[in-house]
Amino acid sequence: MPIPGNPLAYTLVYALETPRGPVLVDAGWEHEDAWDALSGGLAAFGMDVADVYGVVVTHHHPDHAGLAGRVREASGAWIAMHRADADLVRAFRAMVEQDADRAWMSDSLRRAGAREADLADGSHRRPVDPPAQPDRELEDRDLIDVPGRRLRAIWTPGHSPGHLCLHLEDGDRIFTGDHVLPRITPHIGLYPYERTDVDPLGDFLASLARVGDLPVDEVLPAHQFRFHGLAARTRDIAAHHEARLAELAALLTGEPRTLWDLASALIWREAWPEMSLQSRQMAAGEAAAHLRVLESRGQASRRSDDPLTFTAR
Ligand SMILES: [Zn+2]
Ligand SMILES: [Zn+2]
């Protein structure tokens, strides 16, 4: 299903046939073109959106959960996601109702060392459009209500706190959402940057190890293409982050450096000066997530919170 105007281009949405109607794995971006692709795709298999029995969402991001609410309206389907992402959706909805202007993000950016020019376009204040609240909340190892099949939820926090991989135990396949993709690595960011109560990259690396050993044949990710060799791919992604951790550790000295300064000194696909402000904010989120891991490994020290600065340990 297309994601209009996004470099990811499309989300792979899967439909599992059951006697009660299809169960979807993810639902795609909320856009008319995506809706047409979903209806057309199901029709190609003699299915109708109105017959959908349930939607399991791998995580709350809009390219996965966006259309779930519209599918539920059209079919009466249940929507399921992990409890941690359901909590986030609840928090987002409350934030939108209170018309919160995401002032916490400007504060976090300022503390991280962002300059006025980095805040100028206001993209950090753009309101989030939360997806539909799920009807069912899943926990690790739950069997999902897919009549006649064995689809098990595997909690893989990191890219989002409630990210799920879905193991089709009777079909030798795994749906990996954004957790394991064949050629790209998912965004792992820490927000607000100064947080110390969570460790998304540490969680992500542990989650990679959790699925790496599963005895599955085919891997069905949410972007790019299907592939084989889950164990090797999880090792490659872990190695990518280890290289990134080493690159960041090498930038640390005895002199405190702000998060912004450190993020801008890392090598990115796009040169820092050419990056959009939103890309810089995400790059700083990734750098913050890596610094959390360096802190927990004893390789980095947080020197101050405002401004947010780090030194070598
Ligand atoms: Zn995502
Ligand atoms: Zn995605």
Side-chain angles (χ1 to χ4, degrees), residues 185-186 188 201 204-205 236-246 290:
T185 60
I188 312 290
L201 181 60
F204 178 70
L205 294 172
D236 286 352
I237 296 172
H240 159 83
H241 287 288
E242 289 303 328
R244 213 60 180 145
L245 287 162
H290 284 76

Side-chain angles (χ1 to χ4, degrees), residues 63-64 178 223:
D63 51 326
H64 301 259
D178 283 356
H223 302 290

Side-chain angles (χ1 to χ4, degrees), residues 58-59 82 84-85 140 154-165 179 186-188 199-211:
T58 57
H59 62 299
H82 187 271
D85 269 27
D140 188 36
I154 300 169
W155 187 31
T156 49
H159 176 60
S160 88
H163 192 287
L164 289 175
C165 287
H179 184 53
H187 174 69
I188 312 290
D199 179 4
L201 181 60
D203 291 346
F204 178 70
L205 294 172
S207 297
L208 279 179
R210 290 198 76 196
V211 296

Side-chain angles (χ1 to χ4, degrees), residues 31-296:
H31 188 282
E32 214 48 43
D33 293 355
W35 179 257
D36 291 345
L38 179 64
S39 316
L42 288 173
F45 296 101
M47 302 173 188
D48 194 298
V49 177
D51 299 330
V52 172
Y53 176 60
V55 184
V56 199
V57 171
T58 57
H59 62 299
H60 74 273
H61 290 166
D63 51 326
H64 301 259
L67 268 178
R70 188 163 169 190
V71 172
R72 178 167 63 190
E73 273 168 39
S75 61
W78 48 258
I79 300 172
M81 67 173 74
H82 187 271
R83 177 200 26 91
D85 269 27
D87 286 345
L88 263 185
V89 172
R90 249 186 299 278
F92 284 156
R93 298 191 84 82
M95 216 197 260
V96 169
E97 270 157 36
Q98 291 157 25
D99 202 26
D101 66 352
R102 290 168 49 89
W104 61 269
M105 193 63 201
S106 346
D107 182 53
S108 186
L109 281 161
R110 186 190 48 74
R111 287 163 66 156
R115 285 104 180 133
E116 276 310 308
D118 290 314
L119 309 175
D121 77 343
S123 59
H124 56 286
R125 283 176 178 267
R126 219 163 279 149
V128 287
D129 188 13
Q133 194 67 51
D135 310 283
R136 301 181 180 184
E137 298 185 13
L138 299 168
E139 295 289 346
D140 188 36
R141 312 293 305 166
D142 278 355
L143 265 180
I144 295 157
D145 176 18
V146 183
R149 310 299 307 254
R150 289 180 66 80
L151 185 68
R152 195 178 295 281
I154 300 169
W155 187 31
T156 49
H159 176 60
S160 88
H163 192 287
L164 289 175
C165 287
L166 304 162
H167 185 193
L168 189 64
E169 293 178 338
D170 62 313
D172 213 12
R173 291 184 169 96
I174 187 166
F175 301 95
T176 53
D178 283 356
H179 184 53
V180 185
L181 298 162
R183 291 275 168 78
I184 52 175
T185 60
H187 174 69
I188 312 290
L190 176 66
Y191 305 94
Y193 306 131
E194 64 278 7
R195 261 180 103 165
T196 55
D197 60 330
V198 289
D199 179 4
L201 181 60
D203 291 346
F204 178 70
L205 294 172
S207 297
L208 279 179
R210 290 198 76 196
V211 296
D213 293 337
L214 286 175
V216 293
D217 179 30
E218 196 179 22
V219 185
L220 308 170
H223 302 290
Q224 302 193 309
F225 49 85
R226 301 166 168 219
F227 64 100
H228 297 268
L230 178 62
R233 184 59 190 145
T234 57
R235 282 196 298 272
D236 286 352
I237 296 172
H240 159 83
H241 287 288
E242 289 303 328
R244 213 60 180 145
L245 287 162
E247 186 189 350
L248 191 50
L251 294 174
L252 296 169
T253 63
E255 243 355 86
R257 295 183 78 173
T258 65
L259 173 66
W260 212 253
D261 189 27
L262 290 165
S264 67
L266 289 167
I267 310 283
W268 301 96
R269 211 173 303 123
E270 196 180 0
W272 185 266
E274 270 88 65
M275 263 189 213
S276 70
L277 301 188
Q278 205 185 351
S279 297
R280 284 188 200 171
Q281 289 163 21
M282 289 177 75
E286 290 204 8
H290 284 76
L291 281 160
R292 276 299 292 136
V293 169
L294 290 177
E295 276 185 286
S296 68

Side-chain angles (χ1 to χ4, degrees), residues 12-29:
L12 297 171
V13 169
Y14 300 93
L16 287 163
E17 256 184 306
T18 88
R20 305 279 299 270
V23 169
L24 303 184
V25 175
D26 284 330
W29 190 266

